[in-house]
Amino acid sequence: MGAPDNIGPRRLVVGAHYGVKDFIAQRLTAIILATYTLVLLIGILVMPEFNYANWKALFTFHVFALPVGQILATLAFISLAWHAWIGVRDIWMDYVRAVSVRLLLHTLTILWLVGSVAYFAQILWSL
């Protein structure tokens, strides 16, 4: 007997083999997060005094009546959620063999991430 035929329609597909799209998305979200982290660090360093009013100003500054601080923070948090989804989904795909458990974990992860983004948006945009 030879090795099992794992080629074509009868092959066993397991793991997170999503390819280039997710690789690029993971890198883009990492770049957005790194850039936003640098912006926050620079904002903290040039802050005259570290207090609540100045901290709040980091997230609520406007440019020509456009809430740039809130938009950048929202973009960074959505990038964080997307980055986390790709990474955690790949972990579930690679290490959880039972389909029902994997589906449950995917569902719980999505619910947690969507809930986190909604809670973040509620807090940030109510400032």
Side-chain angles (χ1 to χ4, degrees):
M1 298 264 332
D5 186 16
N6 287 333
I7 301 172
R10 297 185 318 203
R11 73 184 182 138
L12 178 63
V13 179
V14 237
H17 302 287
Y18 289 93
V20 176
K21 181 184 80 169
D22 288 335
F23 178 84
I24 292 172
Q26 193 86 11
R27 276 37 184 197
L28 285 176
T29 56
I31 290 168
I32 290 169
L33 291 170
T35 304
Y36 187 69
T37 301
L38 287 174
V39 167
L40 281 181
L41 286 174
I42 291 168
I44 290 170
L45 290 175
V46 299
M47 204 182 278
E49 180 184 358
F50 194 76
N51 58 24
Y52 177 74
N54 289 335
W55 177 251
K56 183 180 172 184
L58 277 177
F59 299 100
T60 58
F61 70 91
H62 289 69
V63 175
F64 300 119
L66 186 67
V68 176
Q70 291 167 315
I71 291 171
L72 292 176
T74 302
L75 175 64
F77 200 81
I78 290 171
S79 294
L80 176 66
W82 190 7
H83 191 90
W85 165 245
I86 293 170
V88 172
R89 183 205 58 208
D90 288 354
I91 291 169
W92 298 150
M93 294 290 289
D94 286 343
Y95 297 110
V96 179
R97 297 287 180 185
V99 175
S100 59
V101 175
R102 191 175 350 158
L103 179 62
L104 175 67
L105 290 171
H106 281 186
T107 303
L108 291 175
T109 303
I110 289 170
L111 289 173
W112 174 70
L113 289 171
V114 168
S116 296
V117 168
Y119 187 58
F120 165 83
Q122 177 191 8
I123 291 170
L124 180 69
W125 289 92
S126 68
L127 291 177

